[in-house]
Amino acid sequence: MQKDFSTYNDADLALIISEKGIHAEKAFMEVYKRYSTGINAYCTKILNDKVIAEDIFQETFIKFYESVNPKVNTNIAGFLVTIARNLCLNHKRNRKQKVDITEMEFLSYDVQNYENVQMLEFVNTAVELLDDEYKEALILREYNNMEYDEIAQVLNITAINAKTRVCRAKKKVKELLKPYLKEITS
Amino acid sequence: MENEFLIFDYLDGKMTAQQEESFFNLLSQNDELRSEFKQQLALKTAFTKDLHTFVPSPETTMSLFSKMGIGAGAGAVSSALVNSSPSIFSKVLGVFGTTAFKSAAVTLIAAGATFFGLLKYDVIEWYDEEGSGNTTLTLNSNKIIESNETPKPQEINANNNSSLGENTNNSEPVIKVVEKIVTKDNFIFTIDTLKLKGEEKIKAKTFFNKLEDKFAQLVNDEDSNINSLERSELANYSFNSSFNNIPNGNFGNLKSQPINFSNSNLNLPLNVELGGSFYNSKLNNANNIDINRDYSSILNGRLSLFYNQSSEFQIGVDYRVEDFFQQFSIIDGNGRLLTYYQQPEFTVMSGVLRYLPDYLDYDFGFFEVQPLISASYGADLIGKGTVSRAGIGSNFYFGNKLYFQAMVEYSNLSFKQDEMNYNSNKLGVNFGVGYNLSR
């Protein structure tokens, strides 16, 4: 018998994982399938270091597996992001963030069309250039698909504040990519 | 800012139908808003595309599951890859970042797969080393099919811009394709994008050709460093690869069709069961005969084979050697009481349909209870009679594959003897042990 865990909601998956029964691993795999991309994006973008990000990404899921409590952690995405965030913050305390502004020089490159994959690079770099508080809100919204109240919970701010941060972050990214976007939308 | 919020709300799907209508009206009247909307839409699309570049690599997933002691990483990996397949090209650039952009370094990223179900958690790793001519193929993360004295394979760092043909260190692998694609009966590798130039394309193709040769060699070469068990396992696989060259601007994309490792002998969606029954048997009906409803216990044996059509339905065949006990009496014309006993033995082959509702499945942690209902209809192999059966019970899984079964079963036998039709029923408990090959 193979259960189709894709039909299970987060709370049920959390319960199955916490019981550590014979279905726990498969339930965990479903959680991984749902959220690994978003968490990986969060870690990578927050830390700007793919190798460290990978370690923290893995540690996030290990901690999740070990500590998920279905009574407390009904919002798996929020719980995962909280774990990842704490790990990232711990790591960042020990190193100084530095973004090379000269990376933006390639924004002056010619753009042929929007589908050009360079756009992804530009967006990536523009996001990197954001202040941490805006960057984090934007990543949680756009890469982890979290609602504003969920973002607020993770960042310990109000939902209105979360929405404002996301909007400002988008505005900032848009400004950085202005020449690009103008060409795209013209 | 207000207009921007409107756009965000629309893109986030937060608007009601009425609000959307107003928004569209506003858009049609306001050039500035329209331009702003297009830009925000472009950004939103870019974010979505960018997200796809963050699908964890199979190596990362394997490493994580290995650390956690989870053997079953394949489903998640392959699922993630399925989801990511449309964005492989963007993944390539996302991973290699500006290095790829500035240096046009050649990079190979392998990803993209389809899977049909969870089966076995194999890793297949391919390495080629420039100049060494060695190709290592590893089946299972802990089983080295052939190692020779090849240095331990190293992963190409995501930031490493070493390229095929530009490798300066002969001990570094030039190409690495690591995939762990688990399907019901296939390992499917799709090398979605190879961003290679001229000569490098040829080298890559040669590399895969070498893999094919190596595979054949592993199976056929008695001297290769694999034991007979591994060899017989390997013999269950077949290896095929093919490539299409697709010109694309300054670069050539070398794209492979799925490379299949087919293995139809493993993890079949089958259950095998062996069981016995304790029955109370009684005669229910015989033509106008006064029936003595005495009971007797009879032990029967069975061997069953089921195909798991889905997680909830099984169809199968049931082979049983069983008997039905019956006792009845009649007063003959001389007033004598005659008592007849019958214990006809049948060898019955039945078709069985089972329903195992997932929602009733309960996991107690150390064992799992899987309720089931069963219906079957079959005939005696020499045509003495037919048997219909219905049962309700549970499988008790201890572990992933082995289970015990207990089922209350009702059987009805119809048979003919001495021109008389008999119907015999029995109600009992069927105990069995089963093995699930599909888990």
Side-chain angles (χ1 to χ4, degrees), chain A residues 1-2 22-23 29 32-33 40 45 58 109 114-115 117 120-121 141 143 147-148 163 167 174, chain B residues 5 8-9 12 14 36 42 49-50 54 61 67 72 79 93 101 311 361 368 370 436 438-439:
Chain A
M1 181 208 60
Q2 290 172 11
I22 60 174
H23 288 308
M29 285 161 63
Y32 185 82
K33 194 170 107 181
N40 194 29
K45 285 188 178 293
Q58 292 189 354
Y109 284 26
Y114 169 69
E115 288 301 319
V117 286
L120 295 182
E121 291 307 315
R141 176 69 202 134
Y143 291 83
E147 299 294 338
Y148 293 116
K163 188 173 184 179
C167 291
K174 203 187 72 180
Chain B
F5 275 127
F8 295 152
D9 283 346
D12 290 341
K14 301 288 181 197
E36 175 68 26
K49 287 186 175 184
D50 190 32
F54 291 96
T61 303
K67 282 178 189 169
S79 301
L93 289 188
F101 181 77
S311 67
D361 197 286
E368 175 194 350
Q370 182 187 33
N436 189 331
S438 65
R439 282 188 164 198

Side-chain angles (χ1 to χ4, degrees), chain B residues 421-433:
Chain B
N421 293 316
Y422 293 91
N423 245 321
S424 186
N425 300 327
K426 59 181 181 179
L427 183 67
V429 183
N430 195 315
F431 294 102
V433 59

Side-chain angles (χ1 to χ4, degrees), chain B residues 14 33 38 42 94 98 109 115 119 121-122 139 141 155 181 183-184 190 197 205 208-209 247 269 294 307 356 395 420:
Chain B
K14 301 288 181 197
L33 180 64
K38 282 179 184 174
T98 56
I109 296 293
F115 86 111
L119 177 63
Y121 314 113
D122 288 16
L139 271 176
S141 54
E155 294 181 9
I181 308 305
T183 74
K184 196 170 179 181
T190 302
K197 289 186 287 188
K205 191 171 180 178
F208 287 106
N209 286 342
D294 280 352
Y307 170 73
L356 308 96
N395 292 334
M420 294 181 75

